[in-house]
Amino acid sequence: MEENGDILVFIKPTLEEKNFIKENFDISDHDISSSLDEEELPRLDDEEKFFFIWKYPGNFMNKSDFEISSIGFFVRYTKIILITDYNFDYFKINKIKYKSSFDIILRFMEFTIKHYGQHLKITKAMSKEIERKMNTSMENKYLVQMFNLSESLIYYQSSLALNYDAIVKLHLYSKRNNFTEITINSLENLKIENEQALKQAEIYSEVFSGLMDARASIVNNNMNQLMKKLTIINIIFLPLNLIAGIFGMSEFTTLIGTHNIVIGYLLFFIGLALTGIITYKILMKIEKREKGKKK
């Protein structure tokens, strides 16, 4: 941390750094905790000193869900203090040309909204890949991945909606404090971009929720197709096992004798056929009775 810089970024600040922030910039413990709390809602507090909380997505790390983090902006004199619990390198890799501390906030907000859009594109691509695997799979892991994506979209949708409210408040703040026309127009553009990202997240969320049942049915259908193939195999081998069992009964041949072997086996097959027909009739009557009870 460069203490003489215009931008001071505190990532997961230690107790010593928190004390430094409180002593030098008059920032309370509550505001510091709010900046580090992932559940904190985006808001603007400009009653005494400027304090702005914003929600932004974490980097995608090859998994099926995404993290949402909070960041607190504090404007004190000519300095801007950023406090967050997520380790990001935006200010290390981006050289920002700014005329005021407020421009830094606008640039980061613009970067965040674009980051949301990129993650939504990744979510859509992952959904198609999971759907492709699901068409031939009978495992539940792809359904779980789809559920995680759907859950992430809900968090994105909520964060974008809350960020939109924060932009509206910031827009009103800029008008009250006679900000330049360029800054006010930039906030209006951010409102439009955030609203577009929000609508995109809403569409994806609706599509995901609508297709979850259909994709679950695909997995069940794949299982049914497998059971159907196994049943066909059993049906093919069942008569063969039956024939092998019948002609392998040496006790039956001894009972009927060698002279009556043809008549004996003929009567045996007739008995098997009658037994099968009677069993089939009984099962049909039971099924009809069960259907009558349901009606």
PDB file of all heavy atoms in Angstrom, residues 197-218:
ATOM      1  N   ALA A 197     -27.894  -5.545 -18.726  1.00  0.00           N
ATOM      2  CA  ALA A 197     -27.320  -6.743 -18.104  1.00  0.00           C
ATOM      3  C   ALA A 197     -28.344  -7.423 -17.196  1.00  0.00           C
ATOM      4  O   ALA A 197     -28.429  -8.659 -17.140  1.00  0.00           O
ATOM      5  CB  ALA A 197     -26.067  -6.379 -17.304  1.00  0.00           C
ATOM      6  N   LEU A 198     -29.145  -6.610 -16.483  1.00  0.00           N
ATOM      7  CA  LEU A 198     -30.171  -7.157 -15.600  1.00  0.00           C
ATOM      8  C   LEU A 198     -31.229  -7.917 -16.397  1.00  0.00           C
ATOM      9  O   LEU A 198     -31.635  -9.025 -16.022  1.00  0.00           O
ATOM     10  CB  LEU A 198     -30.819  -6.028 -14.799  1.00  0.00           C
ATOM     11  CG  LEU A 198     -32.010  -6.406 -13.901  1.00  0.00           C
ATOM     12  CD1 LEU A 198     -31.591  -7.461 -12.882  1.00  0.00           C
ATOM     13  CD2 LEU A 198     -32.556  -5.170 -13.194  1.00  0.00           C
ATOM     14  N   LYS A 199     -31.675  -7.337 -17.509  1.00  0.00           N
ATOM     15  CA  LYS A 199     -32.667  -8.013 -18.350  1.00  0.00           C
ATOM     16  C   LYS A 199     -32.111  -9.309 -18.919  1.00  0.00           C
ATOM     17  O   LYS A 199     -32.826 -10.312 -19.009  1.00  0.00           O
ATOM     18  CB  LYS A 199     -33.111  -7.080 -19.478  1.00  0.00           C
ATOM     19  CG  LYS A 199     -33.989  -5.922 -19.013  1.00  0.00           C
ATOM     20  CD  LYS A 199     -34.417  -5.047 -20.179  1.00  0.00           C
ATOM     21  CE  LYS A 199     -35.324  -3.910 -19.704  1.00  0.00           C
ATOM     22  NZ  LYS A 199     -35.735  -3.026 -20.834  1.00  0.00           N
ATOM     23  N   GLN A 200     -30.830  -9.281 -19.303  1.00  0.00           N
ATOM     24  CA  GLN A 200     -30.192 -10.480 -19.824  1.00  0.00           C
ATOM     25  C   GLN A 200     -30.138 -11.574 -18.757  1.00  0.00           C
ATOM     26  O   GLN A 200     -30.429 -12.748 -19.038  1.00  0.00           O
ATOM     27  CB  GLN A 200     -28.783 -10.142 -20.309  1.00  0.00           C
ATOM     28  CG  GLN A 200     -28.110 -11.260 -21.084  1.00  0.00           C
ATOM     29  CD  GLN A 200     -26.760 -10.846 -21.632  1.00  0.00           C
ATOM     30  OE1 GLN A 200     -26.242  -9.794 -21.257  1.00  0.00           O
ATOM     31  NE2 GLN A 200     -26.180 -11.652 -22.486  1.00  0.00           N
ATOM     32  N   ALA A 201     -29.791 -11.196 -17.529  1.00  0.00           N
ATOM     33  CA  ALA A 201     -29.766 -12.169 -16.428  1.00  0.00           C
ATOM     34  C   ALA A 201     -31.157 -12.710 -16.144  1.00  0.00           C
ATOM     35  O   ALA A 201     -31.332 -13.905 -15.861  1.00  0.00           O
ATOM     36  CB  ALA A 201     -29.179 -11.518 -15.178  1.00  0.00           C
ATOM     37  N   GLU A 202     -32.179 -11.859 -16.217  1.00  0.00           N
ATOM     38  CA  GLU A 202     -33.556 -12.294 -15.991  1.00  0.00           C
ATOM     39  C   GLU A 202     -34.003 -13.292 -17.054  1.00  0.00           C
ATOM     40  O   GLU A 202     -34.652 -14.297 -16.745  1.00  0.00           O
ATOM     41  CB  GLU A 202     -34.489 -11.082 -15.976  1.00  0.00           C
ATOM     42  CG  GLU A 202     -34.333 -10.194 -14.741  1.00  0.00           C
ATOM     43  CD  GLU A 202     -35.177  -8.940 -14.827  1.00  0.00           C
ATOM     44  OE1 GLU A 202     -35.707  -8.660 -15.933  1.00  0.00           O
ATOM     45  OE2 GLU A 202     -35.314  -8.237 -13.803  1.00  0.00           O
ATOM     46  N   ILE A 203     -33.640 -13.015 -18.315  1.00  0.00           N
ATOM     47  CA  ILE A 203     -34.008 -13.928 -19.402  1.00  0.00           C
ATOM     48  C   ILE A 203     -33.339 -15.282 -19.206  1.00  0.00           C
ATOM     49  O   ILE A 203     -33.980 -16.336 -19.306  1.00  0.00           O
ATOM     50  CB  ILE A 203     -33.623 -13.319 -20.768  1.00  0.00           C
ATOM     51  CG1 ILE A 203     -34.493 -12.102 -21.067  1.00  0.00           C
ATOM     52  CG2 ILE A 203     -33.763 -14.348 -21.882  1.00  0.00           C
ATOM     53  CD1 ILE A 203     -34.046 -11.320 -22.284  1.00  0.00           C
ATOM     54  N   TYR A 204     -32.031 -15.275 -18.912  1.00  0.00           N
ATOM     55  CA  TYR A 204     -31.303 -16.523 -18.693  1.00  0.00           C
ATOM     56  C   TYR A 204     -31.895 -17.299 -17.519  1.00  0.00           C
ATOM     57  O   TYR A 204     -32.035 -18.527 -17.568  1.00  0.00           O
ATOM     58  CB  TYR A 204     -29.822 -16.247 -18.429  1.00  0.00           C
ATOM     59  CG  TYR A 204     -29.029 -15.840 -19.658  1.00  0.00           C
ATOM     60  CD1 TYR A 204     -27.700 -15.460 -19.559  1.00  0.00           C
ATOM     61  CD2 TYR A 204     -29.615 -15.818 -20.916  1.00  0.00           C
ATOM     62  CE1 TYR A 204     -26.964 -15.076 -20.673  1.00  0.00           C
ATOM     63  CE2 TYR A 204     -28.901 -15.439 -22.030  1.00  0.00           C
ATOM     64  CZ  TYR A 204     -27.575 -15.064 -21.907  1.00  0.00           C
ATOM     65  OH  TYR A 204     -26.849 -14.687 -23.009  1.00  0.00           O
ATOM     66  N   SER A 205     -32.253 -16.570 -16.451  1.00  0.00           N
ATOM     67  CA  SER A 205     -32.804 -17.222 -15.265  1.00  0.00           C
ATOM     68  C   SER A 205     -34.143 -17.881 -15.580  1.00  0.00           C
ATOM     69  O   SER A 205     -34.412 -19.016 -15.152  1.00  0.00           O
ATOM     70  CB  SER A 205     -32.967 -16.196 -14.137  1.00  0.00           C
ATOM     71  OG  SER A 205     -33.466 -16.814 -12.973  1.00  0.00           O
ATOM     72  N   GLU A 206     -35.001 -17.190 -16.344  1.00  0.00           N
ATOM     73  CA  GLU A 206     -36.289 -17.754 -16.726  1.00  0.00           C
ATOM     74  C   GLU A 206     -36.122 -18.975 -17.621  1.00  0.00           C
ATOM     75  O   GLU A 206     -36.824 -19.977 -17.466  1.00  0.00           O
ATOM     76  CB  GLU A 206     -37.135 -16.692 -17.424  1.00  0.00           C
ATOM     77  CG  GLU A 206     -37.617 -15.578 -16.511  1.00  0.00           C
ATOM     78  CD  GLU A 206     -38.381 -14.500 -17.258  1.00  0.00           C
ATOM     79  OE1 GLU A 206     -38.560 -14.662 -18.489  1.00  0.00           O
ATOM     80  OE2 GLU A 206     -38.787 -13.511 -16.628  1.00  0.00           O
ATOM     81  N   VAL A 207     -35.181 -18.882 -18.558  1.00  0.00           N
ATOM     82  CA  VAL A 207     -34.933 -20.020 -19.455  1.00  0.00           C
ATOM     83  C   VAL A 207     -34.410 -21.217 -18.674  1.00  0.00           C
ATOM     84  O   VAL A 207     -34.845 -22.358 -18.885  1.00  0.00           O
ATOM     85  CB  VAL A 207     -33.936 -19.613 -20.563  1.00  0.00           C
ATOM     86  CG1 VAL A 207     -33.497 -20.830 -21.373  1.00  0.00           C
ATOM     87  CG2 VAL A 207     -34.563 -18.575 -21.487  1.00  0.00           C
ATOM     88  N   PHE A 208     -33.477 -20.972 -17.748  1.00  0.00           N
ATOM     89  CA  PHE A 208     -32.912 -22.054 -16.943  1.00  0.00           C
ATOM     90  C   PHE A 208     -33.991 -22.739 -16.116  1.00  0.00           C
ATOM     91  O   PHE A 208     -34.072 -23.973 -16.081  1.00  0.00           O
ATOM     92  CB  PHE A 208     -31.820 -21.508 -16.019  1.00  0.00           C
ATOM     93  CG  PHE A 208     -30.454 -21.513 -16.644  1.00  0.00           C
ATOM     94  CD1 PHE A 208     -30.299 -21.157 -17.965  1.00  0.00           C
ATOM     95  CD2 PHE A 208     -29.327 -21.850 -15.919  1.00  0.00           C
ATOM     96  CE1 PHE A 208     -29.055 -21.148 -18.557  1.00  0.00           C
ATOM     97  CE2 PHE A 208     -28.076 -21.842 -16.497  1.00  0.00           C
ATOM     98  CZ  PHE A 208     -27.935 -21.486 -17.821  1.00  0.00           C
ATOM     99  N   SER A 209     -34.810 -21.941 -15.431  1.00  0.00           N
ATOM    100  CA  SER A 209     -35.849 -22.526 -14.588  1.00  0.00           C
ATOM    101  C   SER A 209     -36.874 -23.287 -15.412  1.00  0.00           C
ATOM    102  O   SER A 209     -37.411 -24.314 -14.966  1.00  0.00           O
ATOM    103  CB  SER A 209     -36.549 -21.424 -13.777  1.00  0.00           C
ATOM    104  OG  SER A 209     -37.153 -20.477 -14.644  1.00  0.00           O
ATOM    105  N   GLY A 210     -37.148 -22.800 -16.636  1.00  0.00           N
ATOM    106  CA  GLY A 210     -38.113 -23.480 -17.491  1.00  0.00           C
ATOM    107  C   GLY A 210     -37.593 -24.785 -18.064  1.00  0.00           C
ATOM    108  O   GLY A 210     -38.369 -25.701 -18.343  1.00  0.00           O
ATOM    109  N   LEU A 211     -36.262 -24.878 -18.243  1.00  0.00           N
ATOM    110  CA  LEU A 211     -35.678 -26.071 -18.857  1.00  0.00           C
ATOM    111  C   LEU A 211     -35.149 -27.089 -17.852  1.00  0.00           C
ATOM    112  O   LEU A 211     -34.766 -28.191 -18.244  1.00  0.00           O
ATOM    113  CB  LEU A 211     -34.539 -25.655 -19.791  1.00  0.00           C
ATOM    114  CG  LEU A 211     -34.935 -24.864 -21.047  1.00  0.00           C
ATOM    115  CD1 LEU A 211     -33.704 -24.519 -21.857  1.00  0.00           C
ATOM    116  CD2 LEU A 211     -35.914 -25.649 -21.902  1.00  0.00           C
ATOM    117  N   MET A 212     -35.109 -26.728 -16.580  1.00  0.00           N
ATOM    118  CA  MET A 212     -34.594 -27.655 -15.571  1.00  0.00           C
ATOM    119  C   MET A 212     -35.402 -28.947 -15.536  1.00  0.00           C
ATOM    120  O   MET A 212     -34.856 -30.053 -15.511  1.00  0.00           O
ATOM    121  CB  MET A 212     -34.604 -26.996 -14.196  1.00  0.00           C
ATOM    122  CG  MET A 212     -33.437 -26.043 -13.964  1.00  0.00           C
ATOM    123  SD  MET A 212     -31.838 -26.870 -13.907  1.00  0.00           S
ATOM    124  CE  MET A 212     -31.970 -27.729 -12.345  1.00  0.00           C
ATOM    125  N   ASP A 213     -36.746 -28.812 -15.551  1.00  0.00           N
ATOM    126  CA  ASP A 213     -37.607 -30.000 -15.528  1.00  0.00           C
ATOM    127  C   ASP A 213     -37.438 -30.820 -16.799  1.00  0.00           C
ATOM    128  O   ASP A 213     -37.417 -32.063 -16.758  1.00  0.00           O
ATOM    129  CB  ASP A 213     -39.074 -29.590 -15.364  1.00  0.00           C
ATOM    130  CG  ASP A 213     -39.351 -28.967 -14.005  1.00  0.00           C
ATOM    131  OD1 ASP A 213     -38.561 -29.236 -13.069  1.00  0.00           O
ATOM    132  OD2 ASP A 213     -40.326 -28.217 -13.874  1.00  0.00           O
ATOM    133  N   ALA A 214     -37.316 -30.114 -17.934  1.00  0.00           N
ATOM    134  CA  ALA A 214     -37.153 -30.824 -19.206  1.00  0.00           C
ATOM    135  C   ALA A 214     -35.838 -31.591 -19.227  1.00  0.00           C
ATOM    136  O   ALA A 214     -35.779 -32.744 -19.681  1.00  0.00           O
ATOM    137  CB  ALA A 214     -37.198 -29.831 -20.361  1.00  0.00           C
ATOM    138  N   ARG A 215     -34.788 -30.987 -18.686  1.00  0.00           N
ATOM    139  CA  ARG A 215     -33.487 -31.660 -18.674  1.00  0.00           C
ATOM    140  C   ARG A 215     -33.472 -32.810 -17.678  1.00  0.00           C
ATOM    141  O   ARG A 215     -32.794 -33.816 -17.891  1.00  0.00           O
ATOM    142  CB  ARG A 215     -32.396 -30.638 -18.350  1.00  0.00           C
ATOM    143  CG  ARG A 215     -32.130 -29.698 -19.528  1.00  0.00           C
ATOM    144  CD  ARG A 215     -31.418 -28.440 -19.155  1.00  0.00           C
ATOM    145  NE  ARG A 215     -31.171 -27.595 -20.317  1.00  0.00           N
ATOM    146  CZ  ARG A 215     -30.798 -26.337 -20.260  1.00  0.00           C
ATOM    147  NH1 ARG A 215     -30.617 -25.755 -19.089  1.00  0.00           N
ATOM    148  NH2 ARG A 215     -30.601 -25.640 -21.356  1.00  0.00           N
ATOM    149  N   ALA A 216     -34.210 -32.680 -16.592  1.00  0.00           N
ATOM    150  CA  ALA A 216     -34.352 -33.805 -15.661  1.00  0.00           C
ATOM    151  C   ALA A 216     -35.090 -34.954 -16.331  1.00  0.00           C
ATOM    152  O   ALA A 216     -34.763 -36.130 -16.118  1.00  0.00           O
ATOM    153  CB  ALA A 216     -35.094 -33.352 -14.409  1.00  0.00           C
ATOM    154  N   SER A 217     -36.081 -34.611 -17.162  1.00  0.00           N
ATOM    155  CA  SER A 217     -36.820 -35.643 -17.894  1.00  0.00           C
ATOM    156  C   SER A 217     -35.915 -36.362 -18.888  1.00  0.00           C
ATOM    157  O   SER A 217     -36.083 -37.566 -19.139  1.00  0.00           O
ATOM    158  CB  SER A 217     -38.007 -35.012 -18.627  1.00  0.00           C
ATOM    159  OG  SER A 217     -38.897 -34.420 -17.717  1.00  0.00           O
ATOM    160  N   ILE A 218     -34.940 -35.623 -19.450  1.00  0.00           N
ATOM    161  CA  ILE A 218     -34.001 -36.251 -20.381  1.00  0.00           C
ATOM    162  C   ILE A 218     -33.184 -37.318 -19.678  1.00  0.00           C
ATOM    163  O   ILE A 218     -32.973 -38.424 -20.198  1.00  0.00           O
ATOM    164  CB  ILE A 218     -33.082 -35.177 -20.998  1.00  0.00           C
ATOM    165  CG1 ILE A 218     -33.879 -34.281 -21.943  1.00  0.00           C
ATOM    166  CG2 ILE A 218     -31.919 -35.825 -21.758  1.00  0.00           C
ATOM    167  CD1 ILE A 218     -33.079 -33.124 -22.489  1.00  0.00           C
TER     168      ILE A 218
END
